[in-house]
């Protein structure tokens, strides 16, 4: 089998318009939640990603009918789901496959899956998911790398999350939507993707209130129907192109965005010296020839997103001065540091902090994408590094970015893919 690399050459300042795809982190839980509906569900603006392919395979393996019939459109019918075990080979590819546990448990009373895979950016334990299922009355067995849950009937309860985990909030919401009585999730995640999932569940006939706040209330209903739903824009893809404009000193208009979702990124780009203009569903970022060093601390939403930390580190590596980036969400999310250092970046790690001394220029080097967002950071660094940067392990990048070379190319970026 041929492998692929992405090659990035030093590029002129990026200019033009680029449209952001639907959000990966919204599409995946919504696709999982499609197991709850008993009529046709049509999803629009679904990104064309490897992770979406995997979750669609998961749905099919459980007995759902999944049909792609136009760019970005998927039709799902789950009326006849008859299996409750997710194949190991699919689970090992992507952590988000674990999101089918909640829907299966509440819909057919049992679910079995292997412990999840995905990016190696930290432990991201599933204990909060299981705590929620247990609170709703499920029996859980964890044995030989598998998790099995079963319940005759889930009963609503009050659940406090020790950490506002996005995945646990989503899985508990989906399990509670068909449970008997009312479920309250305290210290729930507040991400826009949680709101999108809640809106989707409500369109199916669910009763979810409070999504987007730290307290979510779900009143169980007897059954869910079908609907048509459009996935919200991907705020991390938007942020990546915003940083691309900044790092190249470009002038880029990013279309199909919700500016409210990217406030921390807008604020930080203004701090580094960029001009950022918001206009409806568009954001324009005009870079500056001099990038100022700033400090960043990642936090759960509405704080600065951990999924933008690597991209911002690439930007800070050529800033004027010293920056400190503190990662509070994932304990192992600095694997891209060694790759950026290969390109000449001056970065030191101290626990959960990275101290970045800006350098005048980066240089090309053979590097590898250690995870999804690390891959995006290396593309950004490659746009301003002297020479040709070859990026290996591009399957990580394809898990989260739809047509990434095409989008950068249309802005004037020198980026292409080679097989070897």
């Amino acid at each position: 089998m041929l492998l692929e690399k992405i090659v990035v050459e030093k590029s002129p300042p990026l200019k033009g318009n680029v449209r952001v795809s639907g959000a990966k982190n919204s599409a995946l839980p919504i696709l999982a939640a499609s197991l709850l509906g008993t009529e046709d569900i049509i999803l629009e603006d679904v990104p064309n990603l490897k992770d979406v392919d995997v979750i669609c395979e998961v749905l099919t393996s459980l007995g759902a009918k999944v049909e792609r019939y136009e760019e970005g459109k998927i039709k799902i019918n789950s009326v006849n789901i008859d299996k409750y075990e997710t194949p190991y080979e699919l689970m090992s590819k992507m952590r988000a496959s674990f999101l089918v546990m909640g829907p299966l448990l509440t819909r057919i009373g049992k679910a079995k899956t292997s412990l999840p895979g995905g990016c190696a950016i930290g432990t991201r334990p599933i204990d909060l998911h299981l705590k929620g299922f247990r609170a709703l009355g499920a029996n859980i067995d964890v044995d030989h790398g598998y998790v099995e849950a079963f319940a005759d009937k889930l009963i609503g309860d009050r659940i406090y999350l020790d950490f506002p985990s996005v995945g646990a909030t989503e899985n508990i919401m989906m399990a509670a939507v068909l449970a008997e009585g009312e479920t309250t999730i305290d210290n729930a995640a507040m991400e826009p993707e949680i709101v999108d999932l809640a809106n989707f569940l409500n369109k199916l006939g669910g009763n979810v209130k409070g999504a987007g706040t730290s307290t979510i209330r779900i009143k169980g209903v007897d059954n869910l129907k079908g609907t048509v739903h459009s996935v919200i824009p991907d705020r991390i893809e938007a942020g990546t192109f915003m940083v691309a404009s900044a790092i190249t000193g470009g002038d880029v208009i990013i279309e199909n965005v919700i500016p409210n979702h990217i406030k921390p990124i807008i604020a930080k780009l203004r701090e580094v010296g960029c001009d950022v203009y918001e206009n409806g569903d568009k954001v324009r970022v005009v870079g500056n020839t001099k990038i100022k060093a700033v400090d960043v601390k990642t936090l759960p939403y509405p704080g600065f997103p951990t999924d933008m930390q690597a991209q911002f580190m690439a930007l800070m590596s050529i800033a004027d001065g010293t920056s400190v980036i503190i990662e509070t969400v994932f304990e192992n999310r600095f694997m891209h540091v060694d790759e950026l250092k290969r390109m000449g970046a001056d970065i030191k790690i101290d626990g959960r902090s990275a101290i970045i001394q800006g350098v005048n220029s980066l240089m090309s080097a053979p590097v590898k994408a250690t995870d999804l967002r690390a891959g995006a950071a290396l593309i950004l660094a490659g746009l301003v590094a002297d020479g040709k940067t070859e990026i290996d392990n591009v399957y990580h990048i394809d898990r989260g970015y739809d047509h990434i070379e095409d989008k950068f190319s249309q802005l004037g970026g020198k980026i292409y893919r080679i097989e070897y």
Side-chain angles (χ1 to χ4, degrees):
M1 187 177 104
L2 287 171
L3 298 173
E4 293 182 325
K5 289 183 183 179
I6 287 177
V7 181
V8 188
E9 297 181 29
K10 187 168 187 176
S11 300
L14 300 185
K15 285 188 168 52
N17 294 41
V18 63
R19 186 186 184 276
V20 169
S21 300
K24 170 182 103 91
N25 290 338
S26 206
L28 299 180
I30 286 171
L31 280 160
S34 298
L35 290 169
L36 295 163
T38 54
E39 296 174 0
D40 282 351
I41 290 168
I42 294 172
L43 300 179
E44 299 175 336
D45 219 357
V46 180
N48 181 21
L49 304 172
K50 289 280 194 288
D51 275 10
V52 169
D53 295 342
V54 172
I55 200 101
C56 286
E57 283 183 63
V58 170
L59 298 185
T60 302
S61 75
L62 296 168
K65 284 186 180 170
V66 180
E67 180 191 344
R68 297 187 187 208
Y69 60 98
E70 274 178 44
E71 179 74 22
K73 286 190 180 179
I74 299 180
K75 183 160 112 179
I76 307 112
N77 188 298
S78 300
V79 70
N80 292 322
I81 55 165
D82 54 0
K83 296 184 179 65
Y84 64 92
E85 185 172 344
T86 312
Y88 168 76
E89 62 272 16
L90 296 177
M91 279 300 304
S92 62
K93 288 180 185 175
M94 185 184 65
R95 178 180 184 81
S97 307
F98 195 71
L99 289 171
V100 299
M101 280 289 278
L104 286 173
L105 186 56
T106 201
R107 173 90 190 273
I108 57 177
K110 50 190 172 183
K112 182 178 180 182
T113 183
S114 62
L115 293 167
C119 281
I121 56 174
T123 54
R124 300 201 286 185
I126 56 163
D127 55 347
L128 292 177
H129 301 242
L130 303 185
K131 173 183 174 178
F133 297 155
R134 283 193 182 102
L136 296 173
N139 293 303
I140 311 278
D141 285 336
V142 182
D143 191 31
H144 295 293
Y146 278 86
V147 182
E148 193 162 4
F150 44 95
D152 290 334
K153 179 70 181 170
L154 296 181
I155 309 292
D157 200 354
R158 187 159 203 135
I159 300 159
Y160 173 80
L161 296 180
D162 302 310
F163 176 83
S165 158
V166 173
T169 302
E170 291 167 343
N171 232 339
I172 296 164
M173 275 168 64
M174 292 186 283
V177 77
L178 291 176
E180 194 176 292
E182 183 167 312
T183 300
T184 302
I185 308 172
D186 289 316
N187 199 29
M190 299 191 287
E191 272 72 1
E193 295 79 13
I194 300 282
V195 179
D196 202 21
L197 175 61
N199 289 341
F200 173 70
L201 292 172
N202 288 341
K203 281 186 184 177
L204 293 178
N207 186 340
V208 182
K209 293 191 172 129
T213 75
S214 61
T215 302
I216 299 176
R217 289 186 177 83
I218 307 112
K219 281 187 180 163
V221 297
D222 290 334
N223 67 321
L224 297 173
K225 306 283 194 220
T227 193
V228 177
H229 183 81
S230 193
V231 175
I232 59 168
D234 195 314
R235 60 195 169 96
I236 306 303
E237 186 190 352
T240 301
F241 283 109
M242 291 164 73
V243 173
S245 186
I247 202 168
T248 63
D251 183 350
V252 176
I253 294 170
I254 298 104
E255 301 173 350
N256 190 36
V257 297
I258 300 173
N260 215 29
H261 293 174
I262 49 176
K263 276 182 180 174
I265 304 165
I266 291 171
K268 283 295 167 190
L269 286 177
R270 284 175 176 153
E271 274 185 56
V272 307
C274 295
D275 292 321
V276 184
Y277 307 96
E278 300 170 44
N279 180 15
D281 67 349
K282 298 182 180 68
V283 172
R284 179 183 175 200
V285 178
V286 183
N288 200 319
T289 49
K290 201 172 210 183
I291 297 163
K292 297 177 197 160
V294 296
D295 295 343
V296 171
K297 183 177 186 179
T298 67
L299 289 164
Y301 190 87
F304 190 91
T306 179
D307 278 354
M308 282 300 302
Q309 179 256 104
Q311 300 91 310
F312 234 80
M313 191 179 287
L315 179 63
M316 290 302 93
S317 66
I318 59 164
D320 187 18
T322 305
S323 312
V324 178
I325 294 180
I326 302 170
E327 174 58 62
T328 75
V329 180
F330 293 126
E331 76 282 358
N332 195 23
R333 203 160 203 179
F334 283 146
M335 292 189 295
H336 46 276
V337 168
D338 285 342
E339 303 304 304
L340 288 171
K341 284 166 78 170
R342 287 166 64 81
M343 299 177 72
D346 182 353
I347 307 168
K348 292 181 178 62
I349 300 294
D350 181 9
R352 289 201 166 200
S353 300
I355 299 100
I356 306 116
Q357 180 65 52
V359 295
N360 289 330
S361 62
L362 297 174
M363 55 197 174
S364 62
V367 290
K368 64 177 184 288
T370 51
D371 61 72
L372 166 55
R373 306 306 172 183
L378 295 172
I379 288 175
L380 297 177
L383 291 170
V384 294
D386 293 324
K388 284 184 186 180
T389 300
E390 292 191 0
I391 304 169
D392 220 331
N393 289 7
V394 298
Y395 63 89
H396 280 305
I397 298 169
D398 293 337
R399 285 187 47 232
Y401 289 94
D402 185 353
H403 295 105
I404 193 161
E405 308 101 275
D406 296 344
K407 290 184 178 184
F408 272 113
S409 295
Q410 73 191 46
L411 298 173
K414 296 181 181 176
I415 175 172
Y416 51 93
R417 203 172 278 243
I418 57 170
E419 293 181 336
Y420 67 100

